[in-house]
Amino acid sequence: MLEQLLIFTRGGLILWTCKEIGNALKGSPIDTLIRSCLLEERSGDVSFNYDAHGAAYTLKWTFHNDLGLVFVAVYQRILHLLYVDDLLSLVKQSFAEIYDPKRMAYDDFDETFRQLRKEAESRAEELRKTKQVGKPLGNVKKQGQVSKSGLEGGNKRISESGGSKKDDGDGNKAKVGNLTNGHSNGNHQMEDDSQTSDLANGKENTTDNVALDLSKLQKLRSKGVRGRGGIRKADSIGNKGSKVTAAEPAKKATKKNRVWDDAAPKQEKLDFTDSVDENGNNDHVDIVAADQGESMMDKEEVFSSDSESEDDDEPGSDEKPEAKKKGWFSSVFQSITGKANLERTDLEPALKALKERLMTKNVAEEIAGKLCESVEASLEGKKLASFTRISSTVQGAMEDALVRILTPRRSIDILRDVHAAKEQRRPYVVVFVGVNGVGKSTNLAKVAYWLLQHNVSVMMAACDTFRSGAVEQLRTHARRLQIPIFEKGYEKDPAVVAKEAIQEATRNGSDVVLVDTAGRMQDNEPLMRALSKLINLNNPDLVLFVGEALVGNDAVDQLSKFNQKLSDLSPTGNRSLIDGILLTKFDTIDDKVGAALSMVYISGAPVMFVGCGQSYTDLKKLNVKSIVKTLLK
Amino acid sequence: MENFEDLKILVEQWSHQGIEYLQKIPPTQLYAAIGVLLFTTLLLLSIRLVRRTKSNTVLLSGLTGSGKTVLFYQLRDGSSHQGTVTSMEPNEGTFVFHTENTKKGKIKPVHLVDVPGHSRLRPKLEEFLPQAAAIVFVVDALEFLPNCRAASEYLYDILTNGNVVKKKTPVLLCCNKTDKLTAHTKEFIRKQMEKEIEKLRASRSAVSTADIANDFTIGIEGEVFSFSHCRNKITVAEASGLTGETEQIQDFIREYIKP
């Protein structure tokens, strides 16, 4: 049963609630919906789940963009009510007729609502009955072709996932599962498609299919995944078993070296650290980093303000002849007088062009799609103002949406947080996490330099105990910047090293502790577990995800998996997720700045720093307006 | 040189033609045309001058959940109807206060704007600041301490905004939800905000002089910050949106927008 149905304006005033259903909602699902979904530009999603205060609700919504109204339906998650979407659209239509901006109370709507609900429920009942009648017929047809459809289902899976870059890891596993278990599996999932495919393909040799599948599988496995850690992934699935067993006996003895390939593990110790005495003085010549000038964090961003009037002549090339349903004259006429209402079909060509433009700027495909859906949801049904074209309205809405996403949700004033921690007499702990090779150690040094310029005492903690040379690298940086560094060499447990580093910092009064960790792939279970152990043991103030601006669609995967692992493996009630993003290698991309957008959208964390070079001063803040301008150029 | 001569001759010919044409038009039409032109320019100038007189815009700002939309509807209609949710867009209205409806005579209406407090919608406030004649900053007196830092940062951003400093816009620090038992007093809130802003002042000015975050700094160097140091007048008041106790807000607004 429906828990509640609300109608409210975009300005926040509730116009009508259903009074028949008396139960008050537990918690505040509507406010959470607005804050974490609608304002985060996810209004294109189908539904929103709310879990808190002992209630599990699902919320569905629809907009009436012309009048600025929002219709939200709340119901218990365990019930799968089918008539909600239908009901929402009916309610929208009938309420729009009686809506008057001056009126605040709509008690007469109760009666109308009751009728609409009955109508929607009955319609859903009818639909369900027809579905049940249809199903047994379908099953009888399939009896004769059980085995074939299973294999063809497997075949289709391979061809589908061969094309997509993203879910290759999942695709691999699914393929293996399909071929080994899945005749019945394939049957279920491919019910709809295989009906048409059976007729289309006709009789095929089943043996041929099997051979084809296996060879395709092997080809894909060897091709590996585009993006980071290609071959590693395919092999790691196989080697995971061996790795887990290798980790077990290691607890008693010292940790065995990690084995990536199938090569025989070398037995010699690979620790080439020089013997160093107490002060860390080495024989090598140390160049103290002379003051290299102001960090770019503090410089004003000077960018040429190009003419604000977006090249209005250019979009003409976007609206290619494909979508020209109406003649040129009538479209010009309509743009002058203003059209009645924007329909989905009108918005589609403009949104498609916009999505492609975003994707050429290196925004992940999934994110661009979701954004376009959200903009579509907010523009549908709106009246076009006169003297505006559809493309410019869409562009304006998209610009608003982008500014909204990139504006940080909470203040990113790190210095203020450092001062607050200083008052509580504890160091401010920052942990740098990320995949391999994104620039954690380099940017850690840059952040240390910036903090030093603002009279904050910094200490580094070398918790990357895996990569050869990582500790030396940090030691060199520390010597150049003349700040203390806490290190315990290699082959030690990073979580323990971090804990001791923080204790040391409290003792010698450092304001900030910057913790460097080893790079790790988001799919690597034991490494992610080690990372979450480090974070849970030490409770850092800021978990900074370091991501490079060159990453494409993989950004979505990286961030969502990191967040998921951190929240899954943390003790309940203490979920610390990624608090901020550090975007690196920003100078290598000219105007393909989309990675920033993908990362912020998928994680909700603000971009705190941008690394734009390889020297100490190359660290700056994210300029939201210039990024939005570059994205939409 | 010849081309130059030719050009000169052409120009002279055109000017002759033009003068002849003008002389052909009957004088009344000419005078009428000139008269209309003068009239429209005078009209536009006068409108521009009239507009320079004080705007009657008052902004309702504050953190999300502090009760701005409730106050908006209380001032306008005398009741908050069926409740509110987090605003996604500003609420604007030009009206006379609900309590003033009974008064006779022509009272100047107030253009009240309720700006959403959610941090993602912060840029909207900057659109309205230039036209504001007065600002009401609403603070939740019930849940004050957890939000103290965020509220003071928001207030600090408003007080250091270029438009506010130049026009010396008066600010009312309104403590809302005072009908509840556990709500803090306005004195406590004022002192806490002053302390927090003092800390902000220290940390923000420690960041070098090229900090683009704030246009100005407030307060007097070397002294602990107090609201009396600001050039624009800052007062504190109490209110309760749910029960309709909005007397002090109305008095404040009417002080600057004469009825």
Side-chain angles (χ1 to χ4, degrees):
Chain A
M1 290 312 293
L2 210 57
E3 289 281 325
Q4 188 55 272
L5 194 133
L6 275 141
I7 305 180
F8 54 91
T9 65
R10 284 187 84 100
L13 183 71
I14 298 180
L15 289 176
W16 183 83
T17 64
C18 180
K19 289 183 198 65
E20 287 185 335
I21 315 167
N23 8 335
L25 295 172
K26 295 193 204 116
S28 50
I30 312 284
D31 278 334
T32 322
L33 170 74
I34 297 180
R35 280 180 209 170
S36 40
C37 188
L38 301 183
L39 282 176
E40 302 278 325
E41 295 308 312
R42 288 171 210 265
S43 20
D45 283 357
V46 171
S47 66
F48 177 75
N49 291 333
Y50 178 73
D51 294 284
H53 298 266
Y57 295 124
T58 304
L59 292 99
K60 286 204 175 174
W61 61 91
T62 177
F63 299 108
H64 192 295
N65 292 310
D66 199 22
L67 303 171
L69 299 173
V70 186
F71 302 81
V72 178
V74 189
Y75 55 96
Q76 301 266 7
R77 177 110 41 86
I78 44 179
L79 312 164
H80 291 277
L81 298 177
L82 304 161
Y83 60 86
V84 180
D85 290 310
D86 212 11
L87 180 63
L88 278 175
S89 48
L90 286 172
V91 168
K92 178 163 87 167
Q93 277 172 353
S94 53
F95 194 80
E97 286 156 23
I98 66 170
Y99 176 65
D100 177 16
K102 305 254 179 335
R103 240 176 87 181
M104 296 291 132
Y106 293 87
D107 297 316
D108 48 339
F109 195 67
D110 290 343
E111 189 51 48
T112 337
F113 176 69
R114 223 173 289 145
Q115 290 171 358
L116 287 175
R117 199 162 92 165
K118 283 199 198 107
E119 201 183 311
E121 280 175 3
S122 55
R123 253 195 245 178
E125 279 295 316
E126 277 175 37
L127 224 69
R128 201 159 12 123
K129 283 190 195 130
T130 52
K131 262 199 202 159
Q132 280 178 346
V133 169
K135 262 200 196 152
L137 286 176
N139 275 340
V140 166
K141 224 194 262 178
K142 305 288 297 323
Q143 286 302 330
Q145 303 170 348
V146 167
S147 53
K148 217 192 292 177
S149 62
L151 289 167
E152 281 177 6
N155 208 354
K156 213 170 288 169
R157 266 277 165 104
I158 289 178
S159 51
E160 270 178 1
S161 50
S164 77
K165 274 190 239 166
K166 221 168 36 74
D167 43 9
D168 267 323
D170 300 357
N172 263 336
K173 293 188 193 124
K175 271 175 257 158
V176 172
N178 242 348
L179 287 172
T180 52
N181 317 344
H183 291 258
S184 54
N185 230 353
N187 217 352
H188 266 291
Q189 283 148 356
M190 296 292 140
E191 224 179 67
D192 305 335
D193 323 350
S194 28
Q195 269 189 353
T196 50
S197 75
D198 287 342
L199 303 166
N201 292 352
K203 289 203 172 22
E204 281 186 35
N205 219 343
T206 49
T207 49
D208 276 359
N209 271 349
V210 176
L212 207 59
D213 296 344
L214 282 178
S215 66
K216 268 197 182 168
L217 175 61
Q218 278 184 359
K219 237 191 270 176
L220 278 164
R221 262 194 102 188
S222 59
K223 189 167 73 171
V225 178
R226 205 92 70 74
R228 322 222 106 258
I231 314 267
R232 262 193 223 164
K233 245 201 203 171
D235 288 325
S236 72
I237 298 175
N239 283 346
K240 224 185 263 190
S242 60
K243 238 184 278 168
V244 171
T245 49
E248 295 293 343
K251 280 197 189 131
K252 302 164 199 162
T254 55
K255 250 176 104 163
K256 283 215 182 114
N257 288 335
R258 230 169 265 146
V259 178
W260 286 115
D261 316 307
D262 292 328
K266 303 191 184 71
Q267 288 305 325
E268 328 98 48
K269 201 163 179 305
L270 290 174
D271 189 2
F272 289 113
T273 46
D274 297 322
S275 52
V276 163
D277 51 307
E278 276 303 304
N279 303 355
N281 286 331
N282 240 348
D283 297 298
H284 304 282
V285 177
D286 302 318
I287 314 159
V288 172
D291 201 3
Q292 295 186 1
E294 236 176 41
S295 178
M296 275 167 70
M297 278 288 281
D298 307 319
K299 290 213 184 96
E300 277 196 38
E301 178 84 26
V302 171
F303 57 96
S304 60
S305 50
D306 306 312
S307 55
E308 278 299 326
S309 60
E310 306 275 335
D311 22 358
D312 268 325
D313 306 314
E314 277 209 31
S317 59
D318 289 342
E319 299 170 302
K320 289 192 193 101
E322 7 155 310
K324 271 222 179 106
K325 283 185 231 146
K326 309 163 185 139
W328 168 83
F329 183 68
S330 53
S331 61
V332 164
F333 189 63
Q334 270 166 359
S335 76
I336 294 178
T337 56
K339 207 160 142 18
N341 275 319
L342 281 173
E343 296 293 318
R344 263 181 201 247
T345 43
D346 303 322
L347 295 172
E348 252 175 44
L351 277 175
K352 214 166 112 177
L354 210 57
K355 178 179 168 184
E356 280 174 24
R357 207 191 305 178
L358 282 180
M359 277 170 47
T360 60
K361 302 280 176 164
N362 204 19
V363 179
E365 193 249 336
E366 187 187 321
I367 308 292
K370 278 204 205 154
L371 262 176
C372 289
E373 272 173 31
S374 159
V375 168
E376 194 175 1
S378 73
L379 280 181
E380 194 187 342
K382 212 171 187 167
K383 270 201 180 52
L384 241 189
S386 51
F387 287 105
T388 51
R389 266 184 290 181
I390 297 182
S391 58
S392 45
T393 323
V394 168
Q395 186 120 336
M398 178 62 94
E399 204 177 308
D400 275 341
L402 288 177
V403 168
R404 239 196 309 230
I405 297 178
L406 289 172
T407 309
R409 207 185 331 185
R410 52 187 190 82
S411 92
I412 52 174
D413 196 356
I414 299 205
L415 292 172
R416 177 84 182 78
D417 295 335
V418 169
H419 280 268
K422 204 168 169 175
E423 276 165 25
Q424 299 174 11
R425 293 174 190 285
R426 57 176 182 82
Y428 187 78
V429 181
V430 184
V431 178
F432 289 72
V433 307
V435 302
N436 310 59
V438 290
K440 287 181 290 298
S441 308
T442 316
N443 284 282
L444 189 148
K446 288 188 214 165
V447 172
Y449 182 77
W450 175 68
L451 286 171
L452 280 177
Q453 292 211 310
H454 292 292
N455 305 323
V456 173
S457 59
V458 187
M459 187 168 107
M460 293 188 185
C463 297
D464 183 351
T465 52
F466 177 59
R467 190 183 89 202
S468 308
V471 180
E472 272 78 10
Q473 184 180 4
L474 276 191
R475 207 185 289 155
T476 315
H477 280 305
R479 222 169 291 135
R480 293 189 76 189
L481 296 169
Q482 299 192 310
I483 55 181
I485 173 170
F486 186 87
E487 46 161 347
K488 284 280 184 205
Y490 296 94
E491 312 291 321
K492 303 290 186 298
D493 188 5
V496 173
V497 176
K499 193 174 177 117
E500 291 173 13
I502 297 175
Q503 284 167 354
E504 175 74 27
T506 351
R507 256 190 305 234
N508 67 17
S510 301
D511 298 326
V512 181
V513 179
L514 300 175
V515 178
D516 188 21
T517 61
R520 61 204 74 212
M521 283 301 294
Q522 66 268 23
D523 293 328
N524 198 324
E525 215 18 80
L527 290 183
M528 294 307 294
R529 218 174 297 140
L531 180 66
S532 67
K533 178 183 168 198
L534 189 152
I535 289 182
N536 292 326
L537 194 63
N538 298 302
N539 237 338
D541 296 290
L542 185 64
V543 177
L544 216 50
F545 178 84
V546 184
E548 55 181 11
L550 297 161
V551 74
N553 286 317
D554 203 31
V556 174
D557 197 45
Q558 281 178 18
L559 262 173
S560 48
K561 290 237 178 82
F562 261 85
N563 255 336
Q564 194 190 350
K565 292 288 165 43
L566 283 182
S567 85
D568 284 347
L569 301 169
S570 71
T572 50
N574 208 11
R575 310 168 60 165
S576 65
L577 304 169
I578 295 194
D579 298 315
I581 297 177
L582 201 163
L583 203 57
T584 63
K585 308 185 189 168
F586 206 69
D587 52 324
T588 56
I589 51 176
D590 286 325
D591 58 345
K592 303 208 184 305
V593 297
L597 182 68
S598 326
M599 287 197 215
V600 173
Y601 187 88
I602 198 74
S603 68
V607 175
M608 303 198 125
F609 303 101
V610 175
C612 48
Q614 301 187 39
S615 60
Y616 285 126
T617 52
D618 293 319
L619 191 71
K620 56 181 181 166
K621 287 201 233 256
L622 188 73
N623 189 323
V624 176
K625 293 208 174 64
S626 81
I627 295 252
V628 172
K629 208 196 272 194
T630 322
L631 278 173
L632 292 174
K633 219 186 316 190
Chain B
M1 280 312 287
E2 278 183 19
N3 287 345
F4 200 56
E5 288 293 318
D6 286 342
L7 273 173
K8 255 175 93 176
I9 292 169
L10 266 174
V11 168
E12 278 180 27
Q13 278 181 348
W14 283 340
S15 54
H16 279 310
Q17 281 180 355
I19 291 171
E20 272 181 39
Y21 181 70
L22 269 178
Q23 285 172 344
K24 276 201 204 139
I25 302 175
T28 43
Q29 276 188 13
L30 207 61
Y31 294 151
I34 295 176
V36 166
L37 214 67
L38 276 174
F39 180 64
T40 38
T41 37
L42 277 173
L43 196 69
L44 287 171
L45 278 174
S46 56
I47 287 178
R48 215 183 277 171
L49 282 171
V50 164
R51 272 220 202 122
R52 275 237 194 98
T53 58
K54 278 201 194 160
S55 74
N56 57 348
T57 310
V58 178
L59 291 188
L60 270 180
S61 62
L63 284 184
T64 178
S66 51
K68 302 178 288 295
T69 310
V70 170
L71 281 175
F72 179 85
Y73 283 104
Q74 278 285 356
L75 287 173
R76 193 180 88 159
D77 303 324
S79 94
S80 60
H81 306 285
Q82 299 180 41
T84 57
V85 292
T86 310
S87 313
M88 291 193 272
E89 279 179 5
N91 285 316
E92 286 185 71
T94 312
F95 48 80
V96 176
F97 293 138
H98 182 78
T99 49
E100 294 176 346
N101 265 335
T102 50
K103 288 200 197 145
K104 295 206 188 90
K106 197 166 180 304
I107 311 179
K108 188 165 170 197
V110 175
H111 180 223
L112 197 60
V113 180
D114 158 32
V115 182
H118 197 262
S119 32
R120 297 262 188 198
L121 300 169
R122 213 44 76 81
K124 289 241 192 273
L125 178 72
E126 285 156 22
E127 287 174 24
F128 290 105
L129 273 179
Q131 354 159 334
I135 301 179
V136 178
F137 189 79
V138 184
V139 172
D140 185 346
L142 200 55
E143 297 276 333
F144 178 64
L145 288 172
N147 297 325
C148 184
R149 227 186 95 181
S152 46
E153 274 179 28
Y154 197 178
L155 185 60
Y156 184 81
D157 284 333
I158 293 180
L159 289 177
T160 51
N161 186 288
N163 287 305
V164 173
V165 175
K166 280 185 211 143
K167 292 170 67 179
K168 298 200 194 156
T169 330
V171 176
L172 175 73
L173 188 62
C174 173
C175 309
N176 199 11
K177 310 192 191 176
T178 48
D179 51 317
K180 305 282 187 223
L181 281 175
T182 48
H184 297 279
T185 60
K186 63 182 183 184
E187 279 310 312
F188 177 76
I189 291 180
R190 186 164 78 92
K191 290 218 181 73
Q192 285 295 113
M193 297 286 274
E194 283 179 351
K195 262 195 252 174
E196 285 290 331
I197 295 187
E198 171 63 30
K199 284 190 218 159
L200 269 177
R201 209 158 65 103
S203 75
R204 293 268 176 110
S205 52
V207 182
S208 68
T209 49
D211 188 3
I212 51 176
N214 299 104
D215 305 332
F216 294 85
T217 54
I218 52 174
I220 304 175
E221 296 297 318
E223 278 183 33
V224 178
F225 176 77
S226 154
F227 282 132
S228 51
H229 293 174
C230 293
R231 281 199 274 166
N232 39 348
K233 193 160 164 237
I234 305 182
T235 36
V236 193
E238 288 181 342
S240 164
L242 282 180
T243 59
E245 223 186 272
T246 51
E247 273 301 310
Q248 302 185 17
I249 304 179
Q250 292 183 21
D251 292 338
F252 170 78
I253 295 178
R254 277 301 169 199
E255 208 180 307
Y256 295 99
I257 300 179
K258 306 282 181 236

